[in-house]
């Protein structure tokens, strides 16, 4: 392709240059012919013969060709020995070879001439030596052939270098893909550092592989945790049923055994329902169905719902609304936001000692974002574990005797991510402080009324 384009460009240069030289030749011959015809019309044949003799002996004779002859006779004057044996075309132009002898050597050189017939039975030939034009054409053809050869060689070398580099980069991707297919998820596509398209592709592929490896690792951890969490209730259920069948229980023992089995079944179902909820939340990508939700009202309702539970443990559960009359409206799914708030309050009650303090608040920051804050004075979470507790089945209590699935904060993180909220866990000195910052995306009043 490189050689072809070079040939086209050089061919155009050659064609336009040759056409320009030919046009200059035609113009020069026509101009000279017009001048001689004018001399003939003003002075007759004698004046024309005299003018031709001057031209033949002058500097014009080196480049121009002149010949004046009767229609059927010998030439009268000119620098040609005889009339060319070539028939002119319909425009009077002739292309022929002129024979001459220079330093004892016979030579042929091309000529381009025009013929006109005069009124006195004479015919006049005016032409031009085309040796320079032919030499130029020969040089151009040689240069064109050399340039095309060089372009072809450079094109082949460049093509080989580019194709080898391209294949090398593609082979790197193929090797990484083969490594992944063989089960080694740690393989990554090498990045050259040049910042080209392959580097951007490699960076995207590596990010995708990092994400896949993280998901696979998380899936393995989830599988292990599910097996650990469900093994205990299943073993208890089997033991109760086995003891009931082997012994001779009365009706009350049957009832007690069945109630225990139901509790274990409820725990298993709760675990799977929580997993399904998180999966559905993380799989959602359409937020067009979001509607305006008053976060302050939702938090107040959640506190009212859990206040009797806190009172049973002697805990103080309070809600602090924001100052001012500014609406605390966020765009979101009311059910998911309610479930998220309930999980936060339920966790605070569960892990705060009897007689503890739990505070729920809604406030604004300087950027206009709405914040939901749930704080307690319980044991809290060490800073090094605050990121990992958002993963599924992560529980700081390794014995797992406390009722729970380890999915509460995972669901909170999934809902926050769906709503574009920033989730932050910090020290409440003492206790844990969970804060969610929702972006300022409140719907206009007309939209809010329509949603209501």
């Amino acid at each position: 392709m490189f050689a072809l384009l070079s040939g086209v460009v050089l061919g155009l240069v050659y064609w336009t240059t040759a056409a320009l030289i030919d046009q200059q030749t035609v113009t020069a011959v026509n101009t000279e012919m017009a001048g001689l015809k004018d001399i003939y019309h003003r002075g007759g044949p004698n004046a024309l013969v005299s003018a031709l003799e001057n031209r033949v002996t002058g500097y014009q004779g080196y480049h121009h060709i002149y010949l004046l002859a009767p229609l059927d006779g010998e030439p009268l004057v000119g620098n040609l020995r005889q009339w060319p044996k070539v028939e002119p075309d319909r425009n009077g132009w002739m292309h022929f070879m002129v024979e001459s002898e220079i330093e004892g050597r016979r030579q042929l050189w091309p000529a381009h001439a025009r013929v006109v017939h005069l009124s006195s039975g004479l015919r006049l030939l005016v032409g031009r030596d085309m040796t320079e034009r032919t030499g130029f054409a020969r040089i151009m053809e040689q240069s064109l052939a050399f340039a095309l050869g060089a372009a072809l060689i450079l094109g082949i070398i460049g093509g080989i270098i580019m194709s080898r580099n391209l294949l090398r980069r593609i082979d790197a991707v193929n090797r990484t893909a083969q490594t992944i297919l063989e089960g080694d998820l740690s393989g990554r596509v090498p990045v050259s550092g040049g910042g080209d398209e392959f580097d951007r592709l490699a960076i995207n592929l590596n990010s995708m592989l990092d994400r896949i490896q993280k998901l696979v690792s998380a899936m393995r951890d989830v599988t292990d945790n599910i097996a650990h969490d469900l093994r205990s209730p299943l073993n208890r259920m089997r033991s109760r049923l086995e003891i009931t069948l082997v012994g001779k229980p009365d009706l009350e023992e049957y009832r007690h055994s069945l109630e225990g089995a139901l509790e274990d079944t409820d725990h298993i179902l709760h675990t799977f329902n929580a997993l399904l909820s998180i999966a559905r939340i993380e799989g959602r990508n359409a937020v067009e169905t979001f509607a305006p939700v008053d976060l302050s009202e939702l938090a107040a309702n959640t506190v009212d719902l859990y206040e009797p539970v806190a009172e049973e443990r002697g805990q103080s559960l309070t809600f602090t609304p924001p100052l001012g009359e500014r609406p605390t409206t966020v765009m979101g799914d009311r059910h998911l936001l309610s479930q998220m708030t309930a999980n936060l309050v339920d966790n605070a009650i569960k892990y705060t000692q009897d007689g503890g303090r739990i505070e729920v608040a809604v406030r604004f920051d300087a950027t206009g974002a709405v914040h939901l804050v749930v704080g307690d004075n319980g044991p809290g979470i060490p800073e090094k574990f605050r990121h990992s507790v958002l993963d599924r089945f992560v529980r700081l209590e390794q014995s797992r005797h406390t009722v729970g699935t380890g999915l509460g904060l995972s669901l909170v993180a999934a809902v926050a991510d769906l709503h574009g909220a920033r989730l932050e866990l910090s020290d409440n000195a003492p206790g844990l402080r969970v804060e969610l910052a929702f972006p300022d995306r409140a719907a206009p009043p007309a939209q809010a009324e329509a949603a209501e």
Side-chain angles (χ1 to χ4, degrees):
M1 183 62 68
F2 180 67
L4 177 63
L5 293 177
S6 300
V8 170
V9 172
L10 293 174
L12 288 174
V13 172
Y14 170 74
W15 179 78
T16 54
T17 305
L20 178 62
I21 294 176
D22 291 341
Q23 182 63 36
Q24 290 177 344
T25 301
V26 171
T27 302
V29 171
N30 286 334
T31 302
E32 187 70 8
M33 178 67 76
L36 292 174
K37 288 173 66 177
D38 183 66
I39 292 174
Y40 173 77
H41 289 306
R42 286 189 289 109
N46 292 331
L48 178 59
V49 170
S50 177
L52 288 175
E53 289 177 347
N54 292 332
R55 281 170 168 75
V56 169
T57 58
Y59 71 92
Q60 294 99 326
Y62 291 101
H63 301 287
H64 284 79
I65 300 171
Y66 302 98
L67 188 61
L68 179 66
L71 294 178
D72 297 321
E74 294 295 325
L76 299 177
V77 64
N79 51 7
L80 289 180
R81 295 180 181 178
Q82 59 183 359
W83 194 268
K85 298 178 181 181
V86 178
E87 292 296 328
D89 60 18
R90 61 181 181 178
N91 295 320
W93 287 95
M94 302 169 60
H95 304 277
F96 54 93
M97 300 297 294
V98 178
E99 181 179 350
S100 64
E101 190 171 317
I102 300 176
E103 296 180 356
R105 291 183 301 175
R106 179 174 173 273
Q107 292 184 354
L108 293 175
W109 44 275
H112 186 50
R114 182 186 174 190
V115 178
V116 295
H117 294 273
L118 303 177
S119 59
S120 59
L122 299 174
R123 52 182 177 175
L124 174 64
L125 181 148
V126 178
R128 189 172 178 85
D129 181 5
M130 301 299 291
T131 304
E132 293 181 357
R133 195 268 186 198
T134 305
F136 172 78
R138 186 181 303 110
I139 294 174
M140 285 292 294
E141 290 170 358
Q142 293 174 353
S143 301
L144 181 61
F146 176 78
L148 286 177
L152 185 60
I153 294 174
L154 292 176
I156 292 175
I157 295 174
I160 291 175
I161 294 174
M162 292 178 63
S163 62
R164 288 175 65 89
N165 182 61
L166 181 66
L167 290 175
R168 179 176 58 83
R169 304 291 291 273
I170 294 177
D171 286 341
V173 177
N174 287 332
R175 287 194 300 270
T176 303
Q178 187 63 35
T179 302
I180 300 298
L181 288 174
E182 292 173 356
D184 184 8
L185 296 180
S186 63
R188 295 295 181 269
V189 180
V191 180
S192 66
D196 56 7
E197 291 80 2
F198 276 99
D199 274 357
R200 292 196 292 272
L201 175 63
I203 292 172
N204 290 334
L205 287 176
N206 290 337
S207 300
M208 180 185 68
L209 292 174
D210 290 338
R211 177 64 174 166
I212 292 174
Q213 186 177 23
K214 183 178 179 181
L215 291 175
V216 171
S217 300
M219 186 181 301
R220 290 171 181 168
D221 294 339
V222 167
T223 304
D224 294 340
N225 290 324
I226 287 178
H228 188 279
D229 276 28
L230 298 186
R231 181 174 57 188
S232 297
L234 288 174
N235 284 335
R236 287 196 303 268
M237 186 188 305
R238 187 181 186 283
S239 298
R240 288 193 182 100
L241 296 177
E242 186 177 11
I243 293 172
T244 303
L245 290 175
V246 172
K248 297 180 179 179
D250 55 14
L251 183 59
E252 187 62 29
E253 290 179 349
Y254 268 119
R255 179 182 296 275
H256 180 72
S257 177
L258 291 176
E259 288 176 351
L262 286 175
E263 290 179 1
D264 293 333
T265 303
D266 288 340
H267 177 76
I268 295 172
L269 291 175
H270 181 70
T271 300
F272 279 111
N273 287 335
L275 283 172
L276 288 174
S277 297
I278 294 174
R280 287 175 184 146
I281 294 171
E282 291 180 341
R284 289 181 60 177
N285 54 10
V287 296
E288 291 82 2
T289 58
F290 280 10
V293 178
D294 190 338
L295 195 61
S296 181
E297 177 188 356
L298 186 145
N301 292 338
T302 304
V303 169
D304 291 341
L305 180 65
Y306 278 90
E307 195 169 10
V309 181
E311 289 179 354
E312 288 182 1
R313 302 188 57 180
Q315 297 170 338
S316 170
L317 177 60
T318 60
F319 170 67
T320 304
L323 298 176
E325 299 181 355
R326 181 178 176 180
T328 56
T329 304
V330 298
M331 297 299 294
D333 187 305
R334 174 178 289 273
H335 173 72
L336 293 179
L337 292 175
S338 178
Q339 188 176 5
M340 177 193 70
T341 308
N343 276 17
L344 291 175
V345 176
D346 183 71
N347 274 355
I349 294 174
K350 185 188 303 181
Y351 292 103
T352 301
Q353 67 276 7
D354 293 349
R357 185 182 71 258
I358 301 159
E359 298 175 346
V360 180
V362 175
R363 62 178 183 85
F364 295 102
D365 63 11
T367 64
V370 185
H371 290 244
L372 172 65
V373 183
V374 178
D376 60 65
N377 61 348
I381 298 177
E383 185 175 358
K384 61 180 180 180
F385 296 119
R386 288 174 188 167
H387 182 72
S388 61
V389 293
L390 300 178
D391 297 332
R392 295 180 179 91
F393 294 105
V394 174
R395 297 173 63 182
L396 299 183
E397 184 188 27
Q398 299 300 324
S399 62
R400 297 178 180 259
H401 291 315
T402 304
V403 178
T405 61
L407 297 172
L409 288 178
S410 297
L411 188 141
V412 171
V415 175
D417 184 66
L418 178 65
H419 289 78
R422 186 181 73 253
L423 175 60
E424 181 179 354
L425 277 63
S426 58
D427 189 7
N428 201 34
L432 177 67
R433 175 187 175 92
V434 181
E435 185 168 354
L436 291 105
F438 291 85
D440 186 13
R441 296 187 302 188
Q447 184 177 348
E449 293 176 2
E452 287 294 328

